[in-house]
Amino acid sequence: MARKTGSRAEITGPLIRRAALSLFSRHGYAAVSMRRIAAEVGVQAGTLYLYTSDKQSLLFELMRNHMEELLTAWSREPKGEEPPARLAAFVRFHIRFHLERPEAVFLAYMELRSLVPENFARIEALRQRYEDALADILRAGIAAGRFQIADLRLATMSIIAMLTGVNTWYRDGGRLSREEVGEIYVEMVARLVGPDRGAAPDLGVLGER
Amino acid sequence: MARKTGSRAEITGPLIRRAALSLFSRHGYAAVSMRRIAAEVGVQAGTLYLYTSDKQSLLFELMRNHMEELLTAWSREPKGEEPPARLAAFVRFHIRFHLERPEAVFLAYMELRSLVPENFARIEALRQRYEDALADILRAGIAAGRFQIADLRLATMSIIAMLTGVNTWYRDGGRLSREEVGEIYVEMVARLVGPDRGAAPDLGVLGER
DNA sequence: GTCTATAATTAGATAGAC
DNA sequence: GTCTATCTAATTATAGAC
């Protein structure tokens, strides 16, 4: 042990990021002080500044890391060929990925407003790439005559919103497993993108004012 | 004018609530100081305490007021008789009501974690009542054979999530009017709740692993 | 009803000892 | 690499003048 007692740079950095993620997601970025993060890790407040230039950078790195992991994971996900299979893969992937890291998901959605404009733009660009991945699937399905979608953008936003919404209510040990939830959402999303089968008289009733 | 110059209690209270709503929703509860709210209104910080006991109460009153307005407005909304018509009314109502007050909606969704436990429970109970209103419609539709829903709770959460999601992207003056967006969502929600028409071979493809 | 002044605490960030 | 000490500024909330 050539190293001094208490010198553990290799693990302190990750510990700080983990503590910040947990505290920021539970209490909000503005409500958490650097002292509180330090206390959670077991170091003094000043020590944090060896690992991050300031509080804003700490938040930004957490959010960027999450978004890049999301994009990388989706790029590596087995997807199938046909649009319906790709859409089902997206639904299953989104729910699984998001349920595996609820704190990072919560942070990425709730603390966009805490980013300075430059950092906001960078996170927003990553979010847009993920949205585009879904839109591309829907567009391909429309072109192939497999989906019937009145408005591509609204369908894209609807699907992402309903999938991400799972994080707000799902609890492990509840009535349904993650996989069961995934399959039910696959079916609901499939209905959402059609195609219509038949004259759809019931939609007619719904369409009335 | 029996009143002293600068004495305008009847309007200062509402001004404080309006400024707090705007600032809290834009920057977050923890990030906004009482001084900043006071500055926005044009009074000194101490004056705020004539109208609210503390910062927490100010937040809670804003959120409670929003949730009660939501429930009252829905109770007064013309709904029609049959489940499909009631569901369409819910969709149109939800989008219209939420787009009309984006700041209050944002606050009610983002600052739940800033409430002390007692206040959180009270807001949560109101939110639950609204969720139940939708679940009741879906349940009635299932019972009447008008909807086909694999899981009532998941369908309820999905619909609310996709409808509320409109607030995150809709901007006035964009490609679609609020009413056009509402109609497209009516159709998407109608598809989501079925009923299935035919053997649904495409859903079968989606169901494959 | 509003202001000024202030108490008591806490914030983000840095300097320098070890 | 971490800690102690500290700077400067800002925080919530209150007391008392007008």
Side-chain angles (χ1 to χ4, degrees), chain A:
Chain A
M1 294 256 286
R3 210 174 278 277
K4 280 202 289 185
T5 307
S7 169
R8 332 184 289 162
E10 299 88 350
I11 69 167
T12 300
L15 283 179
I16 289 171
R17 286 187 287 277
R18 210 169 306 160
L21 173 60
S22 174
L23 289 169
F24 286 163
S25 70
R26 274 183 293 155
H27 308 289
Y29 172 75
V32 174
S33 67
M34 295 295 268
R35 275 174 180 73
R36 194 160 167 194
I37 297 170
E40 187 88 358
V41 176
V43 298
Q44 293 298 311
T47 301
L48 300 187
Y49 291 88
L50 290 172
Y51 299 92
T52 183
S53 56
D54 52 24
K55 197 185 174 190
Q56 168 75 202
S57 294
L58 188 50
L59 173 65
F60 172 65
E61 291 301 331
L62 290 171
M63 293 177 69
R64 185 178 63 177
N65 184 60
H66 170 68
M67 292 308 299
E68 288 181 344
E69 276 185 17
L70 173 65
L71 289 168
T72 301
W74 171 243
S75 74
R76 294 182 181 160
E77 186 78 2
K79 302 180 182 66
E81 283 295 326
E82 299 293 305
R86 290 179 76 88
L87 180 57
F90 185 91
V91 170
R92 293 188 183 102
F93 166 79
H94 186 103
I95 291 174
R96 171 169 40 80
F97 185 91
H98 284 67
L99 284 182
E100 277 169 0
R101 38 181 76 64
E103 291 183 329
V105 170
F106 200 72
L107 195 73
Y109 277 83
M110 303 290 264
E111 297 297 352
L112 284 169
R113 66 183 171 191
S114 300
L115 293 171
V116 297
E118 181 193 346
N119 288 339
F120 176 83
R122 290 152 90 181
I123 298 298
E124 178 61 16
L126 296 173
R127 201 199 52 70
Q128 183 66 51
R129 279 180 50 195
Y130 186 65
E131 192 183 307
D132 288 344
L134 174 57
D136 289 345
I137 294 171
L138 298 184
R139 196 179 296 109
I142 295 169
R146 306 296 295 270
F147 300 154
Q148 251 188 26
I149 293 173
D151 189 284
L152 177 64
R153 175 155 163 76
L154 270 55
T156 302
M157 299 312 282
S158 291
I159 291 169
I160 287 186
M162 66 185 271
L163 295 181
T164 306
V166 173
N167 270 53
T168 65
W169 56 261
Y170 185 83
R171 296 294 174 267
D172 282 316
R175 186 167 54 87
L176 299 170
S177 70
R178 297 182 183 193
E179 290 73 21
E180 288 168 333
V181 170
E183 294 314 306
I184 294 171
Y185 272 78
V186 164
E187 194 211 318
M188 287 195 289
V189 170
R191 291 178 175 222
L192 197 62
V193 299
D196 276 330
R197 291 173 296 279
D202 291 292
L203 292 179
V205 172
L206 271 168
E208 284 171 14
R209 286 270 189 175

Side-chain angles (χ1 to χ4, degrees), chain B residues 139-158:
Chain B
R139 196 179 295 106
I142 295 169
R146 305 296 295 271
F147 300 154
Q148 249 188 28
I149 293 173
D151 189 283
L152 177 64
R153 176 155 163 76
L154 270 55
T156 303
M157 301 310 282
S158 291

Side-chain angles (χ1 to χ4, degrees), chain B residues 32-35 49 54-55:
Chain B
V32 174
S33 68
M34 295 295 267
R35 274 174 180 73
Y49 292 88
D54 52 25
K55 196 183 174 189

